[in-house]
Amino acid sequence: QVLLVESGGDSVQSGGSLRLSCVVSGYTNDNWRMGWFRQAPGKEREGVASINSRGSTAYADSMKGRFTISQDNIKNTLYLQMNSLKPDDTAMYYCAIDRAQRLKYPSLESFHYTDWGQGTQVTVSS
């Protein structure tokens, strides 16, 4: 059973920074891609950033230059470093994994992902 557990969400002021973590257990395949998604109240879930097992990354346009996705294979942990946070970044943030059988490009499409965490709340005040 694949399990993803997010942490690091908090309440910060505009311009602040946070680092989200997602610990993955139960998955040992060498090929994968993972992503961070977010959903604000009343809005659809949107892709934030993605990374594959080769280290290729993809970002939503509004996050480029502010957010950085990374992974630590030893710790089986996915990270999202978020800088210059804005009130519009307020949302529940989820990590997800695609249990790919072969290497795939990073993707910001939620339907590409097979397993999801429970989310961690990020609130940015002005």
Side-chain angles (χ1 to χ4, degrees):
Q1 180 182 358
V2 178
L3 184 64
L4 296 87
V5 180
E6 303 98 332
S7 63
D10 205 344
S11 296
V12 297
Q13 291 193 329
S14 182
S17 297
L18 284 174
R19 188 176 80 157
L20 305 183
S21 299
C22 173
V23 178
V24 183
S25 59
Y27 186 72
T28 58
N29 196 305
D30 289 337
N31 290 320
W32 49 265
R33 59 183 167 186
M34 294 194 68
W36 284 99
F37 293 79
R38 69 184 186 185
Q39 188 166 19
K43 295 187 177 180
E44 293 186 355
R45 184 172 295 186
E46 64 173 337
V48 174
S50 174
I51 188 169
N52 69 8
S53 48
R54 290 286 177 88
S56 297
T57 58
Y59 295 91
D61 288 343
S62 62
M63 287 71 165
K64 288 180 181 177
R66 298 192 301 127
F67 292 6
T68 303
I69 189 170
S70 62
Q71 48 87 17
D72 185 328
N73 284 334
I74 296 176
K75 295 181 179 180
N76 292 332
T77 303
L78 180 74
Y79 300 101
L80 184 68
Q81 177 67 43
M82 304 188 296
N83 299 326
S84 303
L85 284 163
K86 308 173 183 178
D88 285 348
D89 294 319
T90 295
M92 184 71 78
Y93 284 72
Y94 302 88
C95 67
I97 188 169
D98 173 16
R99 289 185 260 169
Q101 297 302 310
R102 55 179 176 81
L103 183 65
K104 294 181 181 178
Y105 290 108
S107 171
L108 300 179
E109 298 290 347
S110 59
F111 65 84
H112 284 152
Y113 293 85
T114 53
D115 301 272
W116 294 78
Q118 294 301 306
T120 185
Q121 178 67 39
V122 172
T123 303
V124 184
S125 57
S126 57

